[in-house]
């Protein structure tokens, strides 16, 4: 942001892996996708490597108003779980 002179005043940047709710979000993903065969180890791997899932769960839980995605993900991948 500094190199591009972008003002991030009022923006909170998070690292999902360091968040205290990480395990809760893993469990939530398992519950939401269990009919599709989701298990805890797979959910943990997904949540550790694809932060789009974290953002989508934040939206579902009312923690954010929206997210910007899609440059590297399909629309379906952006809005799943």
């Amino acid at each position: 942001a500094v190199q591009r002179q972008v003002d991030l005043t009022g923006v909170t940047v998070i690292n999902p892996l360091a968040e205290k709710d990480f395990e809760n979000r893993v469990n939530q993903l398992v519950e939401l996708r269990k009919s599709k065969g989701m298990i805890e180890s797979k959910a943990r791997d997904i949540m550790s490597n694809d932060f789009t899932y974290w953002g989508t769960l934040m939206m579902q839980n009312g923690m954010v108003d929206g997210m910007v995605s899609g440059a590297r993900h399909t629309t379906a991948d952006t809005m799943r779980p």
Side-chain angles (χ1 to χ4, degrees):
V2 172
Q3 290 175 340
R4 298 189 186 270
Q5 299 177 340
V6 175
D7 181 10
L8 295 180
T9 302
V11 174
T12 301
V13 178
I14 64 165
N15 175 357
L17 297 174
E19 288 293 306
K20 61 181 167 97
D21 289 340
F22 183 80
E23 288 301 317
N24 292 336
R25 297 294 78 82
V26 168
N27 293 330
Q28 183 180 10
L29 182 58
V30 171
E31 282 301 310
L32 290 169
R33 303 285 296 169
K34 66 183 172 186
S35 67
K36 301 284 187 181
M38 183 63 67
I39 59 173
E40 187 177 333
S41 60
K42 184 175 180 181
R44 185 171 285 102
D45 182 58
I46 289 170
M47 296 292 285
S48 297
N49 294 296
D50 187 348
F51 297 146
T52 301
Y53 280 81
W54 183 270
T56 302
L57 289 174
M58 288 180 73
M59 284 183 47
Q60 179 154 346
N61 292 321
M63 299 166 72
V64 296
D65 296 321
M67 66 184 236
V68 177
S69 187
R72 295 179 55 201
H73 298 84
T74 66
T75 300
D77 287 339
T78 297
M79 296 312 299
R80 189 177 294 125

